């Protein structure tokens, strides 16, 4: 029967010194396979280097493994009571004792230090660790949370979603690089329970994790193909996703299998959200203790960035960070090889006035030289309005608010769809445009008021005096003067009021 992960917290009862390392040794009989250090949440705490070593069953001690202070965290707006600063957990394998060495590199010394021993428990996932997942059309193989034994009871937060994906960040988890294939589910459960409970993040921070064998694993709950907000890049979690390479790539080379899997998942996410992997994006910082930028600061960064580009960190390690130009180029080629695709499409904001000389501007990049098509449809009543095409490495066009016959379209709601194809087929980028009525209305009618006197009601047969489907459109602030006297049996004079009924159809 599966056993849930377990945490053993050891309150160190000390405060790290602002200069010089603090070394703590704790023999223990508690079963653990990973260890982490945490402290009271404090934005004044800067960079804290944490190294650990463990005593094996033979009595020998392992080499020191440095994890540093963990700079992955929720955005400040998402921080909740119980959130703590700390490290990433370090996978140790079965051990019987631990030593931690804590050094304050910058900022204030952390308070309320706790050493956490992590027992990842057991899961049915441990009995048959998959060597590969099942890939869908255009989607890489991604191992599910069930395949690493994520216990839903450990989740403390409901997933939150951003409107779209604008960028992605590359991370590494630090810790050991020598784990076995069968260890990976337990390592993921260790990170999960430490992030969700010890750090107080409600779930694992990363959206995806990639192991040294080239397997991609689902991280934070909420849907791998969605816009779920993670806790991977403090201040920049909303509208981005985080991919973490499992291991420490400060000095060690990133395995080729890991690099290929990273490229595949970035290509899939970027193609889905039409992000140019070699482009830049403007992001607004949410602030936070580990962010380089205060809340509200707008920065321009690569759409595919390393964590250190926005956070005070070495992540994803020097060797991992050096791979970013190669990864960007490969991701772009993967997107282009799969099928022509749009990147960073946009339609200028409206609304636009009926009969205006200029309408919405339509722009987009394209993966390679290819044909593109813009189709305009009317929302109500639904129907096609106009379609035109072009060829190039980008889309740079506009709609002049006219239909295929060159007539000004009526006020109403319209949908523009841009396709990376010669015809309006497949999946494109969609935007909605409103054409409003003319704002200028003719002057009010003038003339003598009807003579006062007794009123009487004279019934006449119903007569349609205006049909906007065949005449001038009516709506919004527009005004249309309609002749009533002398029409459809209404006398040409001596009339003080006429009863009218209107019908709106779509």
């Amino acid at each position: 029967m599966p056993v849930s992960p377990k945490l053993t917290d050891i309150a160190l009862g000390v405060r790290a010194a602002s200069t010089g390392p603090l070394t703590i040794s704790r023999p223990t009989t508690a079963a653990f396979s990973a260890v982490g250090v945490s402290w009271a949440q404090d934005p004044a705490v800067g960079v804290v280097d944490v190294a650990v070593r463990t005593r094996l069953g033979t009595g020998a001690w392992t080499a020191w493994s440095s994890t540093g202070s963990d700079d992955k965290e929720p955005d400040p707006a998402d921080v909740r009571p119980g959130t703590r600063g700390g490290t990433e957990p370090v996978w140790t394998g079965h051990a019987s004792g631990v030593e931690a060495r804590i050094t304050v590199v910058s900022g204030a010394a952390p308070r309320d230090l706790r050493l956490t021993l992590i027992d990842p428990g057991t899961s049915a996932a441990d009995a048959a660790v998959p060597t590969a997942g099942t890939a869908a059309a255009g989607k890489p193989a991604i191992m599910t949370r069930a395949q690493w034994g994520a216990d839903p009871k450990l989740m403390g937060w409901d997933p939150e979603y951003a409107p779209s994906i604008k960028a992605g960040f590359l991370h590494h988890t630090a810790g050991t690089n020598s784990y076995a294939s069968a260890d990976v589910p337990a390592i993921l459960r260790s990170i999960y329970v430490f992030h969700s409970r010890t750090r107080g993040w409600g779930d694992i921070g990363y959206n995806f994790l990639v192991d040294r064998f080239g397997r991609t694993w689902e991280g934070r709950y909420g849907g791998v193909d969605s816009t779920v907000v993670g806790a991977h890049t403090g201040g920049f979690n909303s509208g981005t996703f985080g991919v973490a390479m499992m291991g420490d790539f400060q000095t060690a080379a990133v395995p080729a299998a890991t690099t290929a899997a990273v490229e595949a998942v970035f290509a899939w996410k970027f193609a889905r959200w039409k992000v140019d992997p070699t482009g830049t994006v403007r992001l607004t910082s949410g602030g936070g203790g580990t962010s380089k930028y205060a809340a509200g600061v707008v920065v321009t960064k690569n759409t595919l960035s390393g964590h250190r580009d926005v956070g005070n960190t070495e992540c994803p390690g020097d060797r991992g960070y050096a791979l970013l130009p190669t990864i960007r180029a490969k991701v772009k080629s993967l997107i282009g090889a799969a099928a022509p695709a749009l990147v960073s499409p946009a339609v200028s904001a409206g609304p636009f006035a009926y009969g205006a000389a200029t309408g919405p501007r339509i722009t987009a990049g394209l993966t390679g030289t290819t044909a593109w098509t813009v189709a305009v449809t009317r929302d109500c009543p639904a129907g096609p309005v106009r379609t035109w095409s072009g060829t190039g490495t980008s889309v740079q066009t506009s709609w002049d608010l006219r239909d295929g016959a060159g007539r000004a379209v009526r006020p109403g709601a319209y949908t523009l769809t841009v396709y990376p194809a010669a015809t309006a087929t497949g999946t494109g980028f969609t935007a909605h445009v409103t054409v409003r009525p003319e704002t200028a209305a003719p002057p009010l009618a003038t003339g003598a008021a009807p003579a006062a006197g007794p009123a009487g009601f004279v019934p006449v047969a119903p007569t349609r005096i205006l049909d906007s489907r065949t005449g001038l459109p009516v709506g919004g602030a527009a005004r249309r003067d309609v002749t009533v006297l002398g029409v459809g049996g209404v006398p040409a004079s001596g009339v003080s009021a006429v009863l009218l009924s209107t019908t709106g159809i779509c």
Side-chain angles (χ1 to χ4, degrees):
M1 182 174 179
V3 177
S4 294
K6 223 170 22 172
L7 299 171
T8 302
D9 279 335
I10 302 173
L12 301 179
V14 292
R15 176 177 180 142
S18 56
T19 58
L22 169 69
T23 301
I24 300 142
S25 180
R26 289 292 187 275
T28 177
T29 56
F32 71 96
S33 296
V35 62
V37 175
S38 68
W39 49 80
Q41 185 77 19
D42 183 355
V45 175
V47 178
V48 180
D49 181 72
V50 178
V52 297
R53 66 173 185 166
T54 56
R55 188 173 58 205
L56 305 177
T58 62
W61 286 88
T62 64
W64 287 97
S65 176
S66 179
T67 181
S69 54
D70 186 19
D71 27 51
K72 294 160 280 291
E73 63 180 9
D75 292 341
D78 294 327
V79 170
R80 308 180 190 189
T83 300
R84 291 175 60 81
T87 70
E88 275 280 50
V90 176
W91 179 254
T92 62
H94 298 296
S96 59
V98 62
E99 284 189 352
R101 189 168 61 200
I102 304 165
T103 305
V104 177
V105 179
S106 65
R111 297 171 291 105
D112 185 20
L113 285 163
R114 297 181 196 172
L115 190 67
T116 299
L117 308 179
I118 306 165
D119 175 2
T122 61
S123 167
D126 300 329
V129 179
T131 57
T134 302
K139 178 179 176 180
I142 299 173
M143 261 54 74
T144 66
R145 289 167 63 93
Q147 287 178 293
W148 54 265
D151 183 350
K153 295 193 296 293
L154 294 177
M155 281 184 57
W157 296 9
D158 292 329
E160 298 177 355
Y161 296 90
S164 65
I165 293 294
K166 299 179 180 179
F169 289 99
L170 182 65
H171 300 262
H172 71 168
T173 61
T176 181
N177 291 337
S178 58
Y179 52 86
S181 174
D183 292 334
V184 173
I187 295 173
L188 293 173
R189 292 197 301 273
S190 298
I191 298 173
Y192 173 43
V193 70
F194 192 74
H195 281 187
S196 62
R197 293 302 174 91
T198 300
R199 301 297 303 278
W201 297 349
D203 198 353
I204 195 168
Y206 307 109
N207 298 100
F208 302 93
L209 298 99
V210 179
D211 64 30
R212 71 188 185 96
F213 308 99
R215 295 172 300 192
T216 300
W217 302 81
E218 176 185 7
R220 201 167 186 85
Y221 177 81
V224 296
D225 55 353
S226 72
T227 61
V228 65
V229 178
H232 51 84
T233 308
F236 295 90
N237 287 304
S238 183
T240 70
F241 64 99
V243 180
M245 303 178 292
M246 296 176 65
D248 185 342
F249 301 108
Q250 180 64 17
T251 58
V254 180
T258 301
T259 303
V262 165
E263 292 164 345
V265 74
F266 270 109
W268 170 63
K269 288 289 282 190
F270 278 12
R272 178 174 175 80
W273 295 99
K274 299 177 176 61
V275 177
D276 182 357
T278 59
T280 59
V281 63
R282 287 167 60 84
L283 300 171
T284 301
S285 174
T290 65
S291 175
K292 285 183 177 179
Y293 304 98
V297 174
V298 178
V299 298
T300 299
K301 297 293 179 181
N302 291 309
T303 54
L304 203 169
S305 287
H307 187 184
R308 66 173 63 176
D309 289 321
V310 295
N312 292 305
T313 174
E314 293 180 339
C315 182
D318 286 351
R319 300 292 292 272
Y321 191 79
L323 279 177
L324 282 172
T326 301
I327 291 173
R328 292 185 192 109
K330 181 63 174 179
V331 169
K332 186 153 191 172
S333 71
L334 288 172
I335 294 173
L342 300 167
V343 290
S344 304
V347 173
S348 59
F352 302 91
Y354 165 76
T358 58
R361 180 76 179 161
I362 305 149
T363 60
L366 291 163
T367 54
T369 301
T370 187
W372 52 265
T373 300
V374 177
V376 182
T377 57
R378 184 174 49 248
D379 291 2
C380 182
V385 174
R386 185 176 176 184
T387 301
W388 69 98
S389 301
T391 302
T393 57
S394 66
V395 180
Q396 302 287 335
T397 188
S398 60
W399 179 39
D400 58 6
L401 305 180
R402 296 184 177 274
D403 62 17
R407 299 168 299 200
V409 297
R410 293 185 297 166
Y414 295 83
T415 298
L416 274 69
T417 306
V418 188
Y419 299 90
T423 57
T425 56
T427 301
F429 169 76
T430 296
H432 300 285
V433 171
T434 298
V435 179
R436 57 174 172 72
E438 295 173 294
T439 56
L444 294 174
T446 59
F457 177 74
V458 179
V460 296
T463 300
R464 179 175 292 162
I465 61 174
L466 175 69
D467 188 341
S468 64
R469 294 173 299 176
T470 58
L472 292 175
V474 176
R479 171 183 162 176
R480 298 287 178 260
D481 288 334
V482 180
T483 301
V484 175
L485 299 181
V487 176
V490 177
S493 62
V495 178
S496 59
V498 176
L499 177 64
L500 296 176
S501 64
T502 60
T503 302
I505 62 172
C506 180

